[in-house]
Amino acid sequence: MQDSGYPVATLAEATHRADLVIYWACNPIHAHPRHMTRYPVFPRGFFRERGRKDRTLIVVDPRKTDTAKIADIHLQIEQHKDYELISALRAALNGLTIEADKVAGIPTEVIYQVVDTCKSAQYGALFFGMGITMTRGKHRNIDNAIRLVIDLNRYTKFILTPMRGHYNVNGFNQVASWITGYSYAIDFSRGYPVYNPGETSTINLLKRGEVDAMLNIAADAGAHFPQKAIEHIAKIPLICIEPHKTPTTELANIILPPALAGIECDGIAYRMDGVPIELKKIIEPPEGVLPDREIIERLIKKVKEYL
Amino acid sequence: MTKIIRNVVCPFCGCLCDDIEVIVKDNHVIGTRNACRIGHAKFVHFEGAIRFTEPLIREDKRDEFKKVDWDTAIEESARILVEAYKPLLYGWSSSETHAQFKGIELAELLGAVIDNTATV
């Protein structure tokens, strides 16, 4: 992302303008159930008065998911071949001839057809999910996808938005970017921020056994990490800031219970398109729990005493 | 007494739907309107979830947890982080922005690695 830029637009803009929507490697019907009904597919927009009828929906997914079933075009791509397909689309877009019959399991004529659909759209929106960022190629896939969007912008207006899982993944990326210049995997051990996914990213650090203590906050490492990374977590002291019993807290040495942001305390979160939205406090937290920010503040105070 | 709170933002996924109506009775969420199934489950505590309400601590990971007060828990956590050669601060994605901001300050103080779920 640092290499290519980030051509985004708000979800509302996509709702009002988009006549081509691509879901790449995500399944919003199950993972973001209201995404299609609230934003870019079904609602009537200012320039898309007939709603779904005015839009073309393309889904790229190796499986026939429920989202793929309602798509106009479903590209059933082979697993781990996202980079190849993006490159093929870019090649077709830039007027090169694809000599192979199939790329990533998609017949070449379908690739040309998709490129034509993209070029003739008035406003295209590409939404990508974890299926592309977490398979072979990782963040390089996104670099290539961003280049595809840049190439498409020579013909028409095209934007891309990541489908964020947790409600404030984008918030961390935004905050980290404006403080350190990098969006995640930031290593301060040299006194200044260093970013190099593969070297400074969590899974790789844990697999190599480089870290010797861990603080886990507002995520479930124990449920989502590969086995080898979890084995290392089991060996080192683990502090969990976590409201519920999870697979991660089973490995913890210390559990600090926080209030649930957005339900028991207020705060700000960034939507997947980068719009900050204020969360509401709707009920009082149970006695004896603190908001996340207060726990971290108290930790900072104590750490300063010890340093 | 039941009251309905309108225009609540749902803290589950990156869509942050801001049109949720939450039905609250005696400081408990008893229902929602407009939310999807996942968002509804986050508001209404689902059966079987165990909520921690006090800091817990244990020396050995095979032992049972003991309850402690906040001061001791924070002291012990800070000691672990300061004594570590290269601590890792991971997660942050289901937390709000102020906590993340403070978290980066903490990482800088400790010389730690800070990372969020975008990395997995």
Side-chain angles (χ1 to χ4, degrees):
Chain A
M1 201 177 288
Q2 280 77 4
D3 298 335
S4 311
Y6 197 38
V8 288
T10 60
L11 290 169
E13 198 185 326
T15 310
H16 289 304
R17 293 177 188 273
D19 60 343
L20 172 69
V21 178
I22 306 177
Y23 284 112
W24 195 305
C26 51
N27 185 10
I29 284 193
H30 290 290
H32 300 82
R34 296 186 73 208
H35 191 268
M36 297 172 96
T37 51
R38 244 171 89 78
Y39 301 114
V41 180
F42 292 109
R44 291 155 200 266
F46 193 83
F47 299 106
R48 299 288 167 245
E49 284 172 2
R50 293 185 302 155
R52 173 73 176 90
K53 285 187 191 129
D54 277 349
R55 308 182 208 264
T56 310
L57 178 64
I58 302 180
V59 172
V60 185
D61 203 301
R63 282 168 298 160
K64 198 147 185 71
T65 59
D66 286 341
T67 311
K69 281 177 197 159
I70 61 163
D72 298 309
I73 304 172
H74 174 210
L75 301 179
Q76 200 153 7
I77 184 179
E78 284 170 22
Q79 280 183 351
H80 295 293
K81 295 276 178 71
D82 299 88
Y83 199 94
E84 281 89 334
L85 183 59
I86 299 167
S87 299
L89 288 169
R90 283 181 66 200
L93 188 64
N94 288 315
L96 302 172
T97 317
I98 301 169
E99 286 171 3
D101 299 337
K102 275 184 171 186
V103 178
I106 313 289
T108 310
E109 67 260 24
V110 176
I111 293 176
Y112 282 110
Q113 188 201 329
V114 168
V115 167
D116 280 343
T117 314
C118 292
K119 273 159 77 171
S120 55
Q122 290 177 342
Y123 189 107
L126 166 64
F127 295 92
F128 63 88
M130 300 254 288
I132 180 167
T133 55
M134 302 309 154
T135 48
R136 188 174 301 150
K138 292 228 164 184
H139 63 291
R140 293 293 171 211
N141 288 337
I142 297 306
D143 276 353
N144 209 4
I146 295 171
R147 304 259 180 215
L148 172 67
V149 169
I150 293 170
D151 288 350
L152 280 164
N153 268 300
R154 290 210 310 268
Y155 298 95
T156 179
K157 173 75 183 159
F158 229 92
I159 56 127
L160 108 172
T161 306
M163 299 285 276
R164 263 38 221 291
H166 296 67
Y167 71 89
N168 206 11
V169 188
N170 199 4
F172 182 84
N173 297 150
Q174 301 270 356
V175 172
S177 298
W178 61 256
I179 298 176
T180 68
Y182 304 115
S183 53
Y184 67 94
I186 305 143
D187 185 354
F188 280 102
S189 60
R190 275 171 256 186
Y192 53 89
V194 174
Y195 164 82
N196 188 12
E199 183 195 347
T200 61
S201 45
T202 301
I203 303 291
N204 307 80
L205 283 170
L206 286 170
K207 274 188 178 170
R208 288 197 304 265
E210 270 182 44
V211 290
D212 54 352
M214 181 169 165
L215 173 94
N216 183 83
I217 169 170
D220 198 350
H224 304 140
F225 279 11
Q227 192 60 31
K228 233 182 144 195
I230 293 174
E231 277 169 22
H232 188 68
I233 297 178
K235 283 183 219 151
I236 58 175
L238 173 68
I239 304 153
C240 269
I241 303 181
E242 173 65 55
H244 293 112
K245 190 171 181 175
T246 64
T248 316
T249 58
E250 292 294 298
L251 298 169
N253 290 80
I254 302 176
I255 298 171
L256 305 169
L260 295 168
I263 297 178
E264 296 163 354
C265 71
D266 55 1
I268 289 169
Y270 281 76
R271 203 164 68 186
M272 56 170 73
D273 54 350
V275 176
I277 295 180
E278 197 163 351
L279 304 172
K280 275 187 184 173
K281 175 179 177 168
I282 50 173
I283 53 171
E284 290 298 323
E287 218 170 300
V289 303
L290 297 173
D292 288 327
R293 52 177 177 266
E294 231 173 291
I295 299 176
I296 304 290
E297 258 168 42
R298 288 180 71 171
L299 270 174
I300 289 175
K301 223 173 135 194
K302 257 291 158 274
V303 165
K304 276 183 181 163
E305 274 176 37
Y306 286 149
L307 279 174
Chain B
M1 195 194 75
T2 322
K3 69 177 171 180
I4 295 172
I5 305 172
R6 288 176 209 284
N7 300 329
V8 175
V9 179
C10 167
F12 184 80
C13 83
C15 288
L16 284 176
C17 298
D18 50 11
D19 60 345
I20 314 291
E21 290 179 10
V22 180
I23 306 155
V24 177
K25 190 180 183 187
D26 302 328
N27 204 37
H28 281 285
V29 177
I30 55 167
T32 61
R33 287 182 197 141
N34 296 340
C36 69
R37 277 162 68 185
I38 320 175
H40 174 81
K42 172 130 187 189
F43 280 109
V44 185
H45 264 239
F46 52 91
E47 289 282 321
I50 298 171
R51 179 77 191 260
F52 302 119
T53 52
E54 284 163 298
L56 302 170
I57 199 163
R58 62 182 173 186
E59 193 76 24
D60 192 312
K61 293 197 187 199
R62 277 164 294 191
D63 293 347
E64 290 293 309
F65 281 110
K66 283 196 218 65
K67 288 173 184 171
V68 281
D69 57 289
W70 271 100
D71 287 332
T72 323
I74 294 278
E75 255 170 50
E76 194 56 24
S77 309
R79 192 189 56 76
I80 289 174
L81 292 174
V82 169
E83 281 176 5
Y85 180 69
K86 191 170 187 175
L88 166 68
L89 316 180
Y90 168 83
W92 307 102
S93 292
S94 289
S95 181
E96 44 88 29
T97 311
H98 295 97
Q100 296 167 342
F101 173 71
K102 294 277 171 199
I104 293 170
E105 192 185 334
L106 180 65
E108 197 167 359
L109 272 175
L110 291 164
V113 178
I114 187 161
D115 203 354
N116 85 327
T117 52
T119 189
V120 177

